[in-house]
Amino acid sequence: MESKDKFLNMYRDMVRIRRFEETVSDLFSQDRIRGTTHLYIGEEAVAVGACNAINPDDYITSTHRGHGHCIAKGATLDKMMAELFGKITGYCKGKGGSLHIADLTAGNLGANGIVGGGIPIAVGSGLTAKYKNTGKVTVCFFGDGAANTGAFHEALNLAGVWKLPVIFVCENNLYAMSVPVKEAFPIQDIVERAPAYGMPGVIVDGMDVLAVKEAVEEAAKRARRGDGPTLIECKTYRYLGHSKSDPRAYRTKEEESQWKERDPIKRYKQWLLGNGVTEEEIKKIDEEVEKEIEEAVDFAEKSPYPPLEEITKDVYVEEDFAELERKKGTKVVNGIDEWDGEMRTITYREALNEALREELKRDENVVLMGEDIALYGGAYGVTRGLWQEFGGERVRNTPISEAAIVGCCVGSSITGLRPVGEIMYIDFIGLCMDQLVNQGAKIRYMFGGKARVPMVIRTEGGCGRSSGAHHAQSLESWFLHTPGLKVVMPATPFDAKGLLKAAIREDNPVLFIEHKMIYNSQGPVPPEEYIIPLGVADVKREGKDVTIIAYSRMLLFALQAAEMLSQEGIEAEVIDPRTLVPLDIDTITESVRKTNRVVIVHEGCKTGGAGAEIGMKIQEEVFDYLDAPIVRLGAADAPVPCSRYLEDNSIPRPETIAEAVRNLLRR
């Protein structure tokens, strides 16, 4: 039997949530809080019941309606209110606000502005717990609307396959914005979907805090035993609209009144009074909460706004990575010319495989996951042999579930692992764009710099195999517009190994893009361990007449073009950025100061490609050194054609690069 203090604290938290939300509603109406608010009034029993059924060091993931979850998991109202006011004293320094409030010290992995966005992250948290055998569980809150998203299905399936300790708590408040559940589901109850994912489904009265608590306790016991996840559907009701601006025209006053008659706080109060609690004790809690609310508002209003330099802080973990690695005894080199030891010739594929093998040996927190990566080594055999060596806990086959793969990487990375996820083709990256761009790339910033997301997503792109428009694109430029994400595209075996090792050791999310046509290319690679820091370009060939900037497969074409031009007395300097984010503009501009002419080559479409960004940076930095306009060469502005003849001629070739240089020198 729980103690009286426990029951009273549950009442206190329900009242804290109710009064916090009512106060926020008033402040929003007075324009003292900006943005949007999604209030939790009416659903307090779910958050309080669930969070009181788990341990303080267990995790939760939350939703856009996340104030209640945050409070129930132990947050203080002053920091919460300051966050909503956009003040520096808030939980996320004002950078997350209502939709993204988080308290990592209490195990709250964050509210989420994307419907269903937190569900795959919870699976990643569950993976960490199972892999590390911590005994922790993760409670994943989401609404009925999220149960129709792809993230829901992919995440629950993966959690079921791996038997992860995750408790999926669906807060069915009958409406996804204005769409009623009966119009959005062909089934009576959402838990009917649970058996399809190999887990039990439990329906709970979401207006009864003790019923919620009991159901989550049972699910937590099951999860800690190693029996896997549970789906709990809490039938509840939000008294107000989807957001503060919602007039609730889609439901009747009679319906609202019927639900309010089952008010969770009033019901629980009556239960307490019938079980040894006095009116005086209840009144004291109510008064203490009222004072706490007043003090929270006062704290928030008196707190300062973040200084303007905070705008660009917390985007990345900013420590000197190279210096950290030197202290660990790892040799750090910027290029192959700096290596004075033994070399042997291996393929690009073998170099990547070696990098993964070395990092798996070095750090037990490194895990690999992706489609077909175990037995077959992925689409291009990069991980071949690693499953046999390190086992299925370290090298994990996944279902075809791109959103679940990346989301699992996000959740596991912020809870203690260093996952390396593989997306078979970059063309499929749209299927996981939310988890990569809205979650992984933004979490550190939205949480005020209090999170680290050390994950790598490997993928391959580029044409050359007549694969057509769904298996041959070069989409790297999409991600140059995503602060918080690093983008790496190595062209040689030496660079591939050193950069992949560095990426895995980074505390930032990294998109590591390989090219399908260079896996078999060969080059010198040391047998000893080394890394290449991200953000350092490499001069692959020195010259004086023109600077050619190219990366990935186009670097190899640019070097061929440079050799052709050299036969004509034209000496081109060829620079490989290697990482597009961060971009080493200093090495590039140093070359431009010498040659005064620039050709930029990439395989992505010319319009909106990486060349436009690199070219503009050159214009901004060294415009006075240019003797001619910058030339960009990219693929045709068309989907990649399947015909080999058309495909080969849709991208820059060594001959076209050489001709572009000749034309530039004539100007």
Side-chain angles (χ1 to χ4, degrees), residues 305-501:
Y305 284 106
L308 292 182
E309 55 264 29
E310 284 290 336
I311 293 173
T312 54
K313 278 187 178 180
D314 304 322
V315 179
Y316 299 96
V317 177
E318 297 289 0
E319 290 99 338
D320 186 337
F321 176 77
E323 183 59 29
L324 288 173
E325 294 307 311
R326 288 187 184 96
K327 289 179 181 178
K328 295 176 184 177
T330 304
K331 186 161 186 175
V332 179
V333 296
N334 292 329
I336 198 168
D337 293 340
E338 295 182 10
W339 190 270
D340 56 5
E342 181 186 349
M343 290 279 193
R344 74 265 145 83
T345 298
I346 62 174
T347 67
Y348 188 94
R349 177 188 292 105
E350 290 168 334
L352 293 169
N353 182 276
E354 281 190 2
L356 293 170
R357 176 175 282 104
E358 288 177 9
E359 293 306 301
L360 283 163
K361 287 181 178 179
R362 186 189 68 87
D363 187 348
E364 64 180 9
N365 291 318
V366 175
V367 296
L368 314 185
M369 65 184 80
E371 300 159 14
D372 296 312
I373 69 167
L375 183 61
Y376 297 109
Y380 289 91
V382 170
T383 59
R384 188 170 294 139
L386 300 180
W387 172 67
Q388 291 85 344
E389 183 174 348
F390 295 96
E393 287 294 303
R394 304 286 305 279
V395 182
R396 291 175 166 265
N397 270 344
T398 68
I400 298 177
S401 302
E402 283 77 13
I405 293 168
V406 177
C408 188
C409 287
V410 174
S412 59
S413 68
I414 61 178
T415 53
L417 297 185
R418 288 188 175 272
V420 181
E422 179 175 316
I423 300 300
M424 192 175 288
Y425 294 91
I426 198 170
D427 313 75
F428 305 162
I429 208 125
L431 299 168
C432 54
M433 189 68 92
D434 170 56
Q435 291 298 318
L436 183 60
V437 170
N438 285 326
Q439 310 298 336
K442 294 184 174 67
I443 277 178
R444 176 172 174 80
Y445 187 84
M446 292 190 304
F447 292 2
K450 298 175 183 177
R452 293 177 182 236
V453 190
M455 73 174 194
V456 177
I457 301 300
R458 288 183 46 251
T459 189
E460 64 79 32
C463 63
R465 293 187 179 274
S466 299
S467 301
H470 287 173
H471 288 76
Q473 298 174 88
S474 296
L475 302 177
E476 65 273 7
S477 63
W478 289 6
F479 303 98
L480 307 189
H481 204 64
T482 306
L485 187 66
K486 294 191 175 184
V487 182
V488 183
M489 296 188 71
T492 69
F494 181 87
D495 291 345
K497 180 176 180 179
L499 288 168
L500 181 54
K501 286 172 66 66

Side-chain angles (χ1 to χ4, degrees), residues 51-95:
C51 289
N52 276 274
I54 59 176
N55 299 330
D57 62 347
D58 288 325
Y59 290 107
I60 68 167
T61 60
S62 184
T63 71
H64 57 280
R65 201 179 309 283
H67 302 164
H69 309 139
C70 196
I71 293 170
K73 197 61 173 71
T76 62
L77 302 191
D78 52 358
K79 291 182 180 179
M80 284 192 65
M81 193 67 75
E83 184 62 31
L84 269 62
F85 270 76
K87 300 299 184 70
I88 189 68
T89 53
Y91 270 111
C92 305
K93 301 198 294 189
K95 296 179 178 182

Side-chain angles (χ1 to χ4, degrees), residues 523-541:
V525 176
E528 299 174 42
E529 187 179 17
Y530 68 98
I531 65 164
I532 301 171
L534 309 191
V536 180
D538 193 29
V539 179
K540 298 296 188 185
R541 187 184 192 281

Side-chain angles (χ1 to χ4, degrees), residues 115-133:
V115 173
I119 307 178
I121 295 173
V123 172
S125 173
L127 174 61
T128 300
K130 182 173 182 179
Y131 176 75
K132 288 178 171 283
N133 195 28

Side-chain angles (χ1 to χ4, degrees), residues 124-198:
S125 173
L127 174 61
T128 300
K130 182 173 182 179
Y131 176 75
K132 288 178 171 283
N133 195 28
T134 63
K136 295 181 181 181
V137 301
T138 300
V139 171
C140 173
F141 294 103
F142 59 95
D144 50 274
N148 280 329
T149 65
F152 167 87
H153 295 283
E154 290 190 28
L156 265 70
N157 185 67
L158 189 60
V161 169
W162 288 349
K163 291 190 177 300
L164 299 180
V166 183
I167 304 163
F168 298 99
V169 177
C170 177
E171 298 178 300
N172 183 354
N173 57 33
L174 303 188
Y175 297 93
M177 293 188 70
S178 66
V179 178
V181 167
K182 62 184 178 182
E183 294 181 12
F185 292 84
I187 52 180
Q188 182 69 31
D189 300 303
I190 293 171
V191 294
E192 292 180 43
R193 292 178 170 168
Y197 302 120

